Amino acid sequence: MDNDLEVRPAATGAAVQRLTSEAGRRRTFAVISHPDAGKSTLTESLVLHARVITEAGAIHGKAGRRATVSDWMEMEQARGISITSTALQFPYTSPEGQECVINLLDTPGHADFSEDTYRVLSAVDCAVMLIDAAKGLEPQTLKLFQVCRHRGIPILTVINKWDRPGRHALELLDEIQERIGLKPTPLTWPVGIAGDFKGVLDRRTGNFIRFTRTAGGATAAPEEHITPDRAEAAAGDDWVNAVEECELLSADGGDHDQEAFLRGATTPVLFTSAALNFGVNQLLDVLVRLAPPPGGQRDAEGNLRPVDSPFSAFVFKVQAGMDSAHRDRIAYARVCSGTFERGDVLTHAATGKPFVTKYAQSVFGQHRSTLDSAWPGDVIGLANAAALRPGDTLFRDVPVHFPPIPSFSPEHFAVARGTDPSKHKQFRKGIEQLDQEGVVQVLRSDRRGDQAPVLAAVGPMQFEVASHRMATEFNSPISLEPLPYTVARAIDPDDAALVSKQVSMEVLTRTDGVLLALFTTKWRLQGFQEENPKIRLSSLVAAGEN
């Protein structure tokens, strides 16, 4: 056997105990929401309350305020939306003294970037579902909830923007139960109606936690914990109403049940104003106390790989352009089992080739630092990982192959051409990079040639990101010619010749070798199926499914 891949001795009892202890300290979760529900603001506030930063940034560039740590791309800061997912790792100690390591994955809320969010949700143990107090459950939130349910991910619900006028708290709870089938079990309850947020009633202790505004919400809001016997004098009728509503919740079975939460039957609920940093401390404490630690990962055959097995991880994201001074790219990998040490020689399951981890890094938004070790639940950044793709598995000693991450069915198509013929090398390199990252899918055919690939996307904003990055990162501006297709199906190679001769259809090859038949409309697809019942057309994963 190659010395580089020499099998390590089996872990001793003390080593297994250390590994289990470290895994138990990890809390790995994602924040999901509809656009503009305050997701990146909440992420920033969580980091602020963990004392990792001293001042919260602003999504839109307010005077004197820096940008958020999670939205680091130029387009994100200009538009005030999340375009790419981001990993943040930081330590946190709860008021009870429990020391944890938080791995927080911020996701894009816009439906056009659903594929990126889906990849992130394959790497977490819990999700925080963020709801706007005025709007309730919105379409993209519902789609992401279905992904979490499909993957068996427990969900904590945060009702945000309680400092602004909105709906009644009980009405929002009814909507959650009626539309997604989870029983809400509030852990905190607002004192004051939406738009007059005085604080929360902590249902575990019965105390009134009163908040004090800070200038622009840039720093952590001071909290005052007031005992129930003094709370009415402090908050008046608002406290009385909160107590009465909590009694109604208890009578209706709205008290927290940990086992029901972990099996996906209930969702603990908290009320916050992330912009003012109100109620966010309670969310951190709840994540430490209730969110599940890593519990192993199912492989492609459905067998569980326990956390104390030899090292394994899967890549859920590849990102380049994070540092303009270094033209490298980072592969984000979730550690599933075992202990990682920088310099380990792992095996890339897809190729069987060794992969050296000399350039392992810890990531905090755009910022990186050298990483020496990691444990189950951690997200590690592997630099210069040209061979890695989203969905790839890495392991040491005992082989494993985790399920691949499916590509979504694209609904928008455009031919990309470089506007400067002298930049053909930059054009080819940029298109290849965007394809490998999953920014867009790249389709090709002999008829169109290598200099006119077809970009395929779930939503049109992906084209904007691709064009922006081609111009700014690869110095190869492109033009995009929209194509009339709206539906894609996978086909067998033997049927490609027949399909390609049809009107209002085209056959293209995806980079992974899959042949896709493109149809102008679903009715054209239906007509073709009726005329050619023997030709097998396979559906792809749709953005709103699974």
Side-chain angles (χ1 to χ4, degrees):
M1 179 178 288
D2 191 313
N3 289 334
D4 284 341
L5 294 175
E6 190 171 321
V7 176
R8 286 188 179 181
T12 64
V16 170
Q17 187 175 5
R18 170 79 191 282
L19 192 158
T20 304
S21 174
E22 289 292 343
R25 294 175 57 218
R26 266 60 185 175
R27 299 293 183 272
T28 305
F29 69 98
V31 183
I32 61 173
S33 76
H34 195 82
D36 204 34
K39 181 169 47 57
S40 292
T41 303
L42 177 67
T43 299
E44 192 79 356
S45 189
L46 286 168
V47 176
L48 173 70
H49 279 270
R51 296 180 174 82
V52 181
I53 57 176
T54 58
E55 180 177 302
I59 306 302
H60 297 278
K62 296 179 181 179
R65 294 279 294 279
R66 62 170 183 77
T68 60
V69 292
S70 58
D71 288 343
W72 55 268
M73 289 179 66
E74 180 184 336
M75 283 186 70
E76 292 179 311
Q77 295 171 11
R79 294 192 175 206
I81 61 171
S82 296
I83 288 172
T84 184
S85 54
T86 307
L88 304 169
Q89 184 188 70
F90 53 89
Y92 179 69
T93 302
S94 72
E96 290 81 14
Q98 186 174 357
E99 296 181 355
C100 282
V101 175
I102 304 291
N103 292 290
L104 167 54
L105 303 182
D106 184 30
T107 63
H110 200 287
D112 287 8
F113 306 107
S114 296
E115 199 163 7
D116 194 19
T117 302
Y118 186 95
R119 297 185 196 114
V120 167
L121 290 175
S122 69
V124 300
D125 302 310
C126 183
V128 173
M129 181 171 68
L130 193 62
I131 296 175
D132 187 316
K135 299 175 182 176
L137 287 170
E138 299 176 88
Q140 184 66 3
T141 313
L142 292 169
K143 287 182 180 179
L144 296 175
F145 163 75
Q146 294 298 340
V147 173
C148 292
R149 168 166 279 180
H150 175 75
R151 302 192 66 87
I153 300 171
I155 295 175
L156 286 161
T157 297
V158 173
I159 297 178
N160 192 33
K161 301 186 180 181
W162 201 256
D163 57 307
R164 303 180 187 180
R167 294 160 62 182
H168 194 282
L170 291 172
E171 180 189 348
L172 290 166
L173 297 192
D174 287 342
E175 181 182 31
I176 292 171
Q177 184 157 9
E178 290 169 6
R179 298 189 67 186
I180 65 177
L182 292 183
K183 175 70 176 177
T185 57
L187 304 175
T188 63
W189 194 252
V191 177
I193 62 171
D196 185 24
F197 196 13
K198 293 182 172 65
V200 294
L201 189 162
D202 184 338
R203 297 189 68 211
R204 190 164 69 116
T205 65
N207 288 343
F208 171 34
I209 303 175
R210 182 163 61 183
F211 304 120
T212 303
R213 286 176 180 256
T214 61
T219 56
E223 295 180 1
E224 183 182 2
H225 290 247
I226 302 172
T227 57
D229 57 304
R230 296 170 44 234
E232 184 175 350
D237 290 343
D238 289 327
W239 173 258
V240 174
N241 292 335
V243 170
E244 291 176 351
E245 288 166 350
C246 285
E247 290 172 350
L248 288 174
L249 293 172
S250 295
D252 190 42
D255 296 333
H256 174 68
D257 180 322
Q258 181 69 2
E259 191 274 333
F261 160 58
L262 293 178
R263 74 167 187 266
T266 66
T267 177
V269 180
L270 299 101
F271 291 80
T272 69
S273 167
L276 297 180
N277 294 306
F278 285 7
V280 177
N281 232 15
Q282 287 69 42
L283 175 56
L284 274 172
D285 297 340
V286 165
L287 284 164
V288 169
R289 195 170 75 248
L290 303 184
Q297 189 83 11
R298 297 280 175 187
D299 63 19
E301 286 74 44
N303 301 313
L304 183 68
R305 175 104 164 180
V307 293
D308 58 358
S309 301
F311 175 84
S312 65
F314 70 87
V315 177
F316 64 91
K317 178 180 175 63
V318 176
Q319 178 74 55
M322 296 178 69
D323 184 352
S324 58
H326 301 90
R327 288 296 182 184
D328 60 359
R329 62 178 178 178
I330 298 289
Y332 291 83
R334 150 77 189 241
V335 180
C336 300
S337 64
T339 304
F340 171 82
E341 295 179 7
R342 183 167 60 91
D344 279 350
V345 179
L346 309 175
T347 300
H348 182 204
T351 62
K353 295 180 178 179
F355 182 86
V356 182
T357 61
K358 180 180 178 181
Y359 300 106
Q361 298 178 331
S362 176
V363 288
F364 186 79
Q366 186 182 14
H367 307 289
R368 299 181 259 167
S369 57
T370 300
L371 177 73
D372 292 320
S373 61
W375 309 88
D378 283 342
V379 173
I380 56 177
L382 300 170
N384 299 326
L388 299 182
R389 305 287 184 273
D392 281 359
T393 298
L394 296 168
F395 67 84
R396 186 180 60 229
D397 300 345
V398 180
V400 66
H401 199 112
F402 295 117
I405 301 175
S407 296
F408 277 17
S409 180
E411 299 175 4
H412 302 266
F413 304 86
V415 179
R417 295 184 178 88
T419 58
D420 185 346
S422 68
K423 302 286 182 68
H424 65 278
K425 289 184 178 179
Q426 293 94 321
F427 173 81
R428 186 172 66 249
K429 181 180 179 182
I431 294 294
E432 179 183 2
Q433 177 65 50
L434 296 180
D435 185 23
Q436 291 173 357
E437 288 183 33
V439 175
V440 288
Q441 296 178 41
V442 178
L443 314 178
R444 292 183 170 86
S445 68
D446 292 338
R447 179 171 70 85
R448 292 191 178 276
D450 197 47
Q451 291 303 309
V454 173
L455 306 188
V458 173
M461 281 192 69
Q462 289 177 260
F463 291 150
E464 295 183 46
V465 174
S467 295
H468 177 79
R469 291 188 58 187
M470 285 295 292
T472 57
E473 289 181 35
F474 301 99
N475 194 27
S476 178
I478 61 173
S479 64
L480 291 174
E481 176 193 342
L483 294 176
Y485 308 116
T486 62
V487 183
R489 291 291 185 270
I491 61 168
D492 293 330
D494 294 342
D495 298 325
L498 172 63
V499 175
S500 62
K501 295 177 182 178
Q502 306 299 309
V503 177
S504 302
M505 294 169 54
E506 186 171 350
V507 176
L508 296 162
T509 305
R510 203 165 62 187
T511 306
D512 60 3
V514 174
L515 292 180
L516 296 184
L518 309 186
F519 300 83
T520 50
T521 65
K522 61 182 179 181
W523 296 281
R524 181 69 184 94
L525 166 64
Q526 184 178 347
F528 178 79
Q529 288 178 308
E530 291 172 352
E531 295 167 5
N532 302 273
K534 293 184 178 180
I535 291 186
R536 184 172 169 229
L537 299 171
S538 303
S539 297
L540 305 170
V541 177
E545 297 174 354
N546 294 326

